[in-house]
């Protein structure tokens, strides 16, 4: 800032005299559009450039352009990760030297003195993020300038206007999140599915759902419900792997071995894995209820989502699609899973039979069950075992396998 109280005589001829803020301006543009579908980056980004350009010095041009097409609610480390091909396909006339994170990483290398944006929420809707960026850049002598801020006046007045704007952006962010969460909860309560269909299901358009007319964002995506997969074996496979966990207390790797031993009976794209088995057993949608908010996608480690507590899940008030297991059976399976993870499972009677069968290269497979008895196939033999399974019967089965009977 130049002092308004100058010396009584001209001192510009002094060898050490220099004007305040004499460093040449080298300004970079920073912009953002939330989505490529609900907004048009090809018009929004150039508009932001035009507004930010009003804060350039006479004759000055931007030395680089950094902009993203993604939510301003993302943390800095997750910004700008979209592939270059996506940005090329948008045909935005403004050049792009990178995104938000590229600007932060390259600002010193480019000798940037000012970062210009239309307004603070183009940096981030989260106030902490925009404050952190301003602070980190100021430490290396880079000033962040927003085009919607007043010029002239005092620094305190400018700062007050900036902080009010950032508070507004964060309040707007919180309001959006509340409205979005409320809408997603109602979506689940009405029985409509979020995300991919679990293994034994497919998604089908709900013809009874209210249809919205085309609006400013185009035609709304249709509401979809879960329906049984056309391959009926998938329902049987899902029911069996849940039973193996619930009744036989098998671990994921053991269930995978059983499923892979009979691919015609338990079909799957690619192959069965521990993760697929465990996630399917844990999925409450198998009960016929629609369930939302099991995961918190915006918290936890970058690239991962953490599980919300069960008390935060949103369940439809009644079953909305065909169930693989009852709610009681699903709950029992979760209790077994918890005990296995806690290491408190000492090994049930069927575990002992399966362990003995593995020593002889045999697989134990449940063929059918009546509730009181279950027909198993052990290798080429079939045997009917009662439920519950007495220890005496277990010892007899193992002895028969050991003797080759």
């Amino acid at each position: 800032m130049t002092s308004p109280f100058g010396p009584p005589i001209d001192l510009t001829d002094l060898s050490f005299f220099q004007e305040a803020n004499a460093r040449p301006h080298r300004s970079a543009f920073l912009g953002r559009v939330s989505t490529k579908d609900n907004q048009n980056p090809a018009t929004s980004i150039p508009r932001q450039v035009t507004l930010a350009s009003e804060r350039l010095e006479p004759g000055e041009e931007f030395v680089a352009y950094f902009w993203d097409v993604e939510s301003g609610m993302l943390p800095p480390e997750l910004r700008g990760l979209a592939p270059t091909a996506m940005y090329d396909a948008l045909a935005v006339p403004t050049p792009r030297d990178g995104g938000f994170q590229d600007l932060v990483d390259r600002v010193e290398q480019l000798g940037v003195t000012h970062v210009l944006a239309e307004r603070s929420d183009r940096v981030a809707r989260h106030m902490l993020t925009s404050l952190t960026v301003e602070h980190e850049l100021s430490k290396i002598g880079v000033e962040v300038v927003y085009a919607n801020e007043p010029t002239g006046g005092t620094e305190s007045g400018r700062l007050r206007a900036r902080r009010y704007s950032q508070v507004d952006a964060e309040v707007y962010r919180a309001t959006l999140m509340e409205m979005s969460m409320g809408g997603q909860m109602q979506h689940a309560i009405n029985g409509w599915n979020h995300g991919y269909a679990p293994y034994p299901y497919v998604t089908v358009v709900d013809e009874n759902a209210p249809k919205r007319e085309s609006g400013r964002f185009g035609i709304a995506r249709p509401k979809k419900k879960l329906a049984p997969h056309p391959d009926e074996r998938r329902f049987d496979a899902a029911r069996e792997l849940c039973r193996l966990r619930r009744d036989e207390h098998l671990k994921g790797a053991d269930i995978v071995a059983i499923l892979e031993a009979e691919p015609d009976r338990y079909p799957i794209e690619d192959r069965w894995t521990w993760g697929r088995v465990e996630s399917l057993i844990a999925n409450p949608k198998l009960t016929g209820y629609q369930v939302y908010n099991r995961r918190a996608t915006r918290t936890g480690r970058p690239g991962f989502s953490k599980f919300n507590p069960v008390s935060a899940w949103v369940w439809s008030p009644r079953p909305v699609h065909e169930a693989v297991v009852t709610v009681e059976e699903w709950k029992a399976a979760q209790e077994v899973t918890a005990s296995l993870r806690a290491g408190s499972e000492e090994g049930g009677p069927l575990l002992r039979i399966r362990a003995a069968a593995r020593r002889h290269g045999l697989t134990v497979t449940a063929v059918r069950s009546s509730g009181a008895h279950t027909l198993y196939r052990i290798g080429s033999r079939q045997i009917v075992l009662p439920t519950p399974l007495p220890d005496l019967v277990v010892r007899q089965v193992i002895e028969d396998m050991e003797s080759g009977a």
Side-chain angles (χ1 to χ4, degrees), residues 1 21 23-30 55-57 60 62 103 107-108 111-117 123 130-131 133-147 149-152 154-155 158-159 162-163:
M1 182 180 72
N21 302 324
R23 186 170 60 146
H25 276 217
R26 286 180 60 83
S27 300
F29 167 76
L30 177 60
R55 304 301 292 270
L56 292 171
E57 294 288 300
E60 183 189 6
F62 286 118
L103 167 67
V107 67
E108 284 189 280
V112 171
T113 61
H114 294 76
V115 172
L116 273 57
V123 176
S130 58
L131 288 174
V133 171
E134 293 173 17
H135 176 69
E136 292 301 317
L137 292 180
S138 69
K139 290 196 297 186
I140 55 177
V142 179
E143 182 182 356
V144 178
V145 178
Y146 301 126
E149 292 178 348
T151 58
T154 63
E155 173 64 13
R158 184 194 66 82
L159 191 62
R162 173 170 295 191
R163 295 297 178 256

Side-chain angles (χ1 to χ4, degrees), residues 348-354 356 372-374 376 378 381-402:
L350 276 168
L351 283 178
R352 293 158 55 194
I353 293 177
R354 290 186 183 279
H373 293 82
T374 302
Y376 290 92
I378 304 177
R381 295 177 54 202
Q382 288 192 345
I383 182 172
V384 177
L385 298 178
T387 303
L389 190 52
D391 186 67
L392 181 62
V393 175
V394 173
R395 290 201 303 268
Q396 184 62 53
V397 173
I398 294 175
E399 288 175 5
D400 289 346
M401 281 191 287
E402 299 291 347

Side-chain angles (χ1 to χ4, degrees), residues 244-245 248-252 254-255 258 336 340 351 354:
L244 290 170
R245 170 59 53 82
E248 301 192 24
H249 297 201
L250 293 189
K251 295 181 179 179
D254 297 321
I255 296 176
I258 292 171
V336 174
L340 288 172
L351 283 178
R354 290 186 183 279

Side-chain angles (χ1 to χ4, degrees), residues 89-385:
L90 297 175
V92 177
T94 302
R96 185 176 185 270
D97 299 288
F100 172 88
Q101 196 60 50
D102 298 297
L103 167 67
V104 175
D105 294 340
R106 297 174 55 193
V107 67
E108 284 189 280
Q109 172 191 345
L110 295 172
V112 171
T113 61
H114 294 76
V115 172
L116 273 57
E118 177 194 4
R119 56 181 192 263
S120 63
D121 62 3
R122 295 301 181 186
V123 176
R125 291 201 181 278
H126 200 297
M127 187 174 181
L128 178 60
T129 300
S130 58
L131 288 174
T132 301
V133 171
E134 293 173 17
H135 176 69
E136 292 301 317
L137 292 180
S138 69
K139 290 196 297 186
I140 55 177
V142 179
E143 182 182 356
V144 178
V145 178
Y146 301 126
N148 69 331
E149 292 178 348
T151 58
T154 63
E155 173 64 13
S156 60
R158 184 194 66 82
L159 191 62
R160 181 178 290 107
R162 173 170 295 191
R163 295 297 178 256
Y164 283 166
S165 176
Q166 289 168 327
V167 168
D168 286 342
E170 179 131 351
V171 171
Y172 180 69
R173 167 185 173 274
T175 303
L176 280 180
M177 294 297 292
E178 289 171 354
M179 295 173 64
S180 175
M181 186 64 178
Q184 297 300 329
M185 290 171 62
Q186 193 61 47
H187 190 274
I189 290 171
N190 289 340
W192 298 318
N193 188 61
H194 293 83
Y196 297 105
Y199 165 77
Y201 297 101
V202 293
T203 54
V204 296
V205 174
D206 183 3
E207 299 296 344
N208 297 320
K211 295 177 174 58
R212 290 170 47 194
E213 298 296 329
S214 177
R216 61 183 291 240
F217 295 149
I219 299 175
R221 288 181 296 180
K223 305 295 185 182
K224 294 184 177 182
K225 286 190 173 185
L226 294 179
H229 195 279
D231 188 345
E232 296 179 358
R233 296 175 298 172
R234 289 188 173 228
F235 240 66
D236 295 334
R239 189 174 290 114
E240 175 63 7
L241 68 87
C242 289
R243 188 197 67 80
L244 290 170
R245 170 59 53 82
R246 183 183 66 252
D247 296 344
E248 301 192 24
H249 297 201
L250 293 189
K251 295 181 179 179
D254 297 321
I255 296 176
V256 168
I258 292 171
L259 299 178
E260 289 190 329
E262 295 190 79
D264 292 337
R265 186 178 179 186
Y266 308 119
I268 186 78
E269 298 90 355
D270 194 13
R271 59 187 295 269
W272 286 102
T273 63
W274 179 90
R276 280 180 168 178
V277 166
E278 293 294 341
S279 63
L280 195 55
I281 292 172
N283 197 327
K285 293 181 182 180
L286 299 188
T287 64
Y289 288 81
Q290 190 58 251
V291 184
Y292 171 67
N293 201 37
R294 294 174 59 220
R295 294 175 181 266
T297 57
R298 296 187 183 276
T299 58
R301 291 180 295 151
F304 295 86
S305 57
K306 72 173 186 178
F307 283 98
N308 286 325
V310 176
S311 59
W313 296 2
V314 178
W315 296 68
S316 60
R318 59 186 178 278
V320 292
H321 51 260
E322 187 174 340
V324 173
V325 295
T326 66
V327 179
E328 291 75 19
E329 289 172 334
W330 178 84
K331 178 182 178 182
Q334 310 319 303
E335 292 172 343
V336 174
T337 298
S339 66
L340 288 172
R341 290 177 178 173
S344 62
E345 196 63 39
E346 298 179 354
L350 276 168
L351 283 178
R352 293 158 55 194
I353 293 177
R354 290 186 183 279
R358 278 198 300 271
R359 291 196 296 269
H360 294 277
L362 302 175
T363 301
V364 180
T365 304
V367 179
R368 60 179 179 273
S369 175
S370 66
H373 293 82
T374 302
L375 175 64
Y376 290 92
R377 184 168 57 250
I378 304 177
S380 59
R381 295 177 54 202
Q382 288 192 345
I383 182 172
V384 177
L385 298 178

